[in-house]
Amino acid sequence: MTRERQRNKRGEGSQLREEILDAAHAVLSTRGDESGVTLRAVARQAGIAAQSCYRHFDTRDDLLWALHEREFAALRAALEGASTPDATPLDRLRARCLAYAAYAHTHPGPYGLLFGGRGAEHHEWGGRLPGDPTSALWVSTVAECVGEGADAHAVAADLWAGLHGTIVLRRSLPAFPWPGDLETAIDRLIDALIIRKTA
């Protein structure tokens, strides 16, 4: 549903850019995948003329890239805020795994943009790789939990793949008799990939 909006005052163009990204987020969340995120659809959602979008984003790929970056920042903020400074490394990792799963559950459309669909190679993003700060946070969180001789990057990648697969499969096949709830599944992943593998 589109909404009426008041025109921004002169010099408030950056505010309009954020409103456009808010509208893109809403379209993505409603459609469930990036195919519906066009500049015209976003303009309708924002209640503005399509030309207003083109003043801030030259192409659809530019808009998707900006949305990509913003969603990665939101995910990173959720991970950072999921633990207290005095938590043990394993408690911090578990809290961030749960926060990751919560983000995927609460924002399935944006999550699909980040980790599903056709991926970055489909877009003309000039070789830019989104999510590097988020990836670094993930690897550093895992590195706190593994021994000095372990390859923290490899373990982090394995844990991420297991977490992503668990989330997506449980969402896609809800009727399957999954053993336990998602929190239990995350505990099993941490046990298998962190505790046992690096002990």
Side-chain angles (χ1 to χ4, degrees):
M1 177 181 294
T2 58
R3 57 184 176 83
E4 292 185 8
R5 67 178 295 279
Q6 293 182 337
R7 292 174 61 89
N8 286 321
K9 298 176 183 177
R10 179 181 289 274
E12 293 183 347
S14 61
Q15 179 180 331
L16 178 57
R17 186 179 190 276
E18 289 306 309
E19 290 180 16
I20 292 170
L21 287 173
D22 288 342
H25 176 98
V27 172
L28 180 62
S29 297
T30 301
R31 289 294 301 265
D33 65 71
E34 68 181 63
S35 64
V37 184
T38 65
L39 288 169
R40 291 190 180 278
V42 170
R44 282 196 301 271
Q45 176 67 34
I48 59 177
Q51 276 305 118
S52 296
C53 285
Y54 286 102
R55 291 193 188 102
H56 295 273
F57 304 100
D58 291 336
T59 65
R60 175 177 180 266
D61 274 341
D62 288 336
L63 173 62
L64 285 173
W65 171 260
L67 187 60
H68 219 280
E69 286 189 312
R70 199 170 82 154
E71 292 303 328
F72 259 118
L75 174 58
R76 185 171 66 255
L79 297 180
E80 289 173 339
S83 179
T84 59
D86 59 345
T88 68
L90 276 174
D91 285 343
R92 181 161 37 253
L93 176 62
R94 184 177 188 276
R96 287 180 174 167
C97 285
L98 291 172
Y100 181 97
Y103 175 88
H105 176 74
T106 308
H107 306 287
Y111 183 81
L113 175 67
L114 298 183
F115 303 117
R118 293 167 288 180
E121 291 184 1
H122 169 75
H123 300 287
E124 296 178 0
W125 285 343
R128 293 176 288 185
L129 292 176
D132 286 345
T134 308
S135 300
L137 174 66
W138 182 255
V139 173
S140 67
T141 302
V142 170
E144 293 180 331
C145 299
V146 300
E148 290 185 6
D151 184 342
H153 188 275
V155 177
D158 289 343
L159 180 58
W160 176 35
L163 184 59
H164 175 76
T166 297
I167 291 166
V168 172
L169 282 173
R170 283 174 177 256
R171 179 188 297 156
S172 301
L173 302 170
F176 185 83
W178 298 105
D181 59 14
L182 182 58
E183 286 193 35
T184 303
I186 288 173
D187 286 339
R188 282 197 298 267
L189 283 171
I190 292 173
D191 183 52
L193 292 171
I194 302 295
I195 300 174
R196 295 182 191 175
K197 190 170 182 177
T198 63

